[in-house]
Amino acid sequence: MSARGSAIKRGVVPWFGLCSWLGMVIGVLIEQAARAMGASGNSATAVGVLAAAMCGFCAVLASRVRDERWPWLALAGAAFSAVPLALFLLSMILH
């Protein structure tokens, strides 16, 4: 494969990199859905923070598979989406 082919592939717009920043929003929506279904206690929060972290993680994997430009965008979005999980685990440890 020539260097030109990889340069063309590197110009892919970072859609999944941008979507990795939406993990927090998706986590909140899933938490609200779990509460609407009758989840009690911290179980809805746990499901929401796990969903947020997994959405960010899956988006960063998809971004790397597509070989999108600006890989830092997806990594930063995944780290941002994992912050609620880190805070939830920290509160469980300190409680």
Side-chain angles (χ1 to χ4, degrees), residues 70-94:
W70 305 324
W72 57 267
L73 185 66
L75 291 172
F80 179 73
S81 295
V83 167
L85 178 62
L87 291 175
F88 182 74
L89 292 175
L90 185 67
S91 71
M92 284 179 54
I93 291 171
L94 295 178

Side-chain angles (χ1 to χ4, degrees), residues 38-58:
S40 61
N42 282 338
S43 60
T45 305
V47 168
V49 296
L50 284 174
M54 288 307 299
C55 285
F57 179 70
C58 290

Side-chain angles (χ1 to χ4, degrees), residues 24-49:
M24 187 91 66
V25 174
I26 292 170
V28 168
L29 292 175
I30 289 179
E31 177 187 2
Q32 295 301 318
R35 289 198 192 280
M37 291 174 59
S40 61
N42 282 338
S43 60
T45 305
V47 168
V49 296

